[in-house]
Amino acid sequence: MDRLRKQQWMFSLAYVVAAALALYFFQAAIATPAPRRVSYSQFWSEVRAGRVTAVHVTEREFVGALKSDPSRRKRELIAATRLPGIDETALIKELEGRGVDLSGRIEVRSWWTELFLVWLLPLLVLGLIWGYGMRRMAQGAGPLSFGRNRAKIYDDSSRIEVTFADVAGIDEAKAELQEIVDFLKNPQKYQRLGGRIPKGVLLVGPPGTGKTLLARAVAGEAKVPFFSISGSEFVEMFVGLGAARVRDLFEQAKQKAPCIVFIDELDAIGKSRSAGRGLIMSHDEREQTLNQLLVEMDGFDSSKGVIIMGATNTPEVLDPALLRAGRFDRQVVIDRPDLQGREAILAVHARKLKLAPDVDLHKIAARTPGMVGADLANIANEAALLAARRGAERVEMRDFEEAIDRVMLGLEKKSRVMTDAEKRRVAYHEAGHALVALSLPHADPVHRLSIIPRTVGALGHMLQLPTQERYLMTRPQLEDQIAVMLGGRAAEDIVYDGEVSTGAADDLHRATELARQMVTRFGMSERLGHLTYGNPLASQFLKGPFQFEERNYSERTAEMIDDEVRAILDGLYAKVKRILATRRPDLERVVARLLEKETLDAQELRALVSAPVAASSPA
Ligand code: ADP
Ligand code: MG
Ligand code: ZN
């Protein structure tokens, strides 16, 4: 009840402000202009001067309309109080004689009408709306949701075009869902033997891996209606609406069985009830919605043919009650696609494009490790747009190359003016990264070197290309990776004699982060042993820049961690400086060429550097 009070208060307050504003503008628009008050004799001298075109006689006053002056928008009115006890017949006669319109057509409303129209009526309407809102809230719904027309938001796309053929690279997940498709197509077959079909299937995987797509494809394959709602749509201001929507959704679905009910971004409603307060959605709202969902999931049996699918990228935060048997009891994990998977996904999206014969999807897949289906779809689309802009007939390999760069690095910004000195510094920085990468046995091969600024990120870039998918990283690999990150700063340090620049900020941040993880998470420091420090799970609730870590170690350990991280970085930095110092002639040659050409590819680079280039050995 307390919550209701507070809500009603907030609503009333906001409402009064809004109503006052509305009333003000309404009156400004509708109210008749007040006539200018003049004296009795002034009024009649205006009449005699022939400036009055119409006169309205009321019980108390004469109101006269002056001849309209074209420069003014509104016509001007004057009013004079009638004098008591004076015979006005002569005056009226005179008005008639002058042809002044006396029929009282001047639109001046009576005092009463004015009051009613301008004040009472709007107040009445506003009051009614307010009352309605308060009542709705007391009933546990949003104040301004009118009835149940919200139900329209469910996307009952009975004719979904998406099928399994549109989903690639996640064959295990597809195989698992095939069973659901079979069941939806032919429920009797499964029930004959008394088996129970899973009620809820939860798709778990990183964003953009195709969870939403896959759910639609299941409906498309089985040719059943697909009701979908997204957890983020439940972000409502007022309590109760979310629960009402869940109820609606399931009611509609039951009438259309067999069908699929898909709850996208389940974590937005299904967060563990003990977890921290939601930042956007109020705690209560989420809890009510979640409870309603649990009730609905328990309240019907899947033999009716309604399958509930959910999708989330953070299963850890889901309330355990959701994952219990009888609810989302089956989980299908969707991973980032591997090399083959990426190629297959690219093939799906390339079907719609006109490709030139030089396009090698395998190569593109190799250049995009870690990317998910959504990224690849984006790249295919970008490439098509780039080709169109060139006015080309077909999409060529170079369009794909540029599209990948755009997605990974942002647009080229040739317009950004850098001084020659700055350019030279960037060239040393990037060449430093590249030479270190060429010198270390575990570093990924260099793919390209450039000093063309991009909208995202640095003033130049050095791209490495992993030779194959990595699932594990060894300690030497991590160390070499950090060393490559430090290469830019080290080159500046050597060439400019310690006068370093801000250009290495991002490199240093990433290097530090990686070194810290080696110490606190991977147990790769002798001094700190094979232990993990800090509880990274706590950071699941707040992603992005606000990562908090539950600290479960002492102040003294914290100091040791800092020392170890520092020792790793210092050691690697010294090593990198040694490498670059011995390869100074290479560095100068690469920089000279880079300043000339702005971009060097792997072959050009290799032609410039002297012999002992460490062979990159894949793990
Ligand atoms: P999620 O729901 O996992 O965040 P989506 O299903 O919304 O990802 O994927 C977004 C888009 O990316 C899809 O519409 C599709 O074009 C593309 N996509 C993602 N995964 C795949 C895949 N496995 N096969 C083909 N296309 C995919
Ligand atoms: Mg999605
Ligand atoms: Zn750098």
Side-chain angles (χ1 to χ4, degrees), residues 79-80 101 112 117 132 135 140 170 198 208 211 219 225 234 241 278 290 307 353 362 441 475 503 519 551:
D101 185 5
W112 248 109
L117 267 182
Y132 180 78
R135 219 182 59 219
I170 40 178
K211 299 181 293 296
F234 286 106
L241 200 53
L290 174 56
I307 299 272
L353 311 179
H362 182 79
R475 183 166 165 177
V519 176
R551 212 169 120 178

Side-chain angles (χ1 to χ4, degrees), residues 343-449:
E343 192 177 340
I345 293 173
L346 281 166
V348 165
H349 290 281
R351 277 200 312 233
K352 298 163 217 149
L353 311 179
K354 279 192 188 150
L355 295 186
D358 73 332
V359 174
D360 182 349
L361 295 182
H362 182 79
K363 236 187 208 157
I364 302 169
R367 265 208 64 187
T368 49
M371 284 201 184
V372 293
D375 299 325
L376 296 169
N378 192 9
I379 284 175
N381 188 48
E382 276 288 323
L385 293 181
L386 284 167
R389 198 167 311 153
R390 279 196 300 124
E393 285 296 307
R394 301 187 168 271
V395 187
E396 290 174 20
M397 192 61 178
R398 58 173 162 160
D399 298 314
F400 277 98
E401 290 272 347
E402 174 60 17
I404 295 171
D405 288 346
R406 278 191 180 198
V407 171
M408 277 176 22
L409 307 162
L411 292 179
E412 274 190 2
K413 255 206 154 170
K414 284 197 169 142
S415 59
R416 189 182 291 170
V417 187
M418 287 200 291
T419 64
D420 284 347
E422 278 171 334
K423 260 199 172 151
R424 180 167 291 275
R425 194 182 268 275
V426 173
Y428 275 114
H429 179 107
E430 300 304 336
H433 282 307
L435 280 181
V436 175
L438 286 173
S439 311
L440 292 172
H442 301 290
D444 290 325
V446 179
H447 178 72
R448 184 192 321 122
L449 197 56

Side-chain angles (χ1 to χ4, degrees), residues 45 65 79 130 160 214 221 229 247 251 253 300 325 329 339 357 387 402-403 412 493 506 558 565 609 618:
S45 66
W130 176 76
I160 285 191
L214 194 56
E221 282 285 317
I229 196 164
R247 212 177 309 127
E251 241 164 59
F300 73 93
D329 45 8
L339 183 64
E402 174 60 17
E412 274 190 2
D493 197 353
D506 189 52
V565 172
V609 296

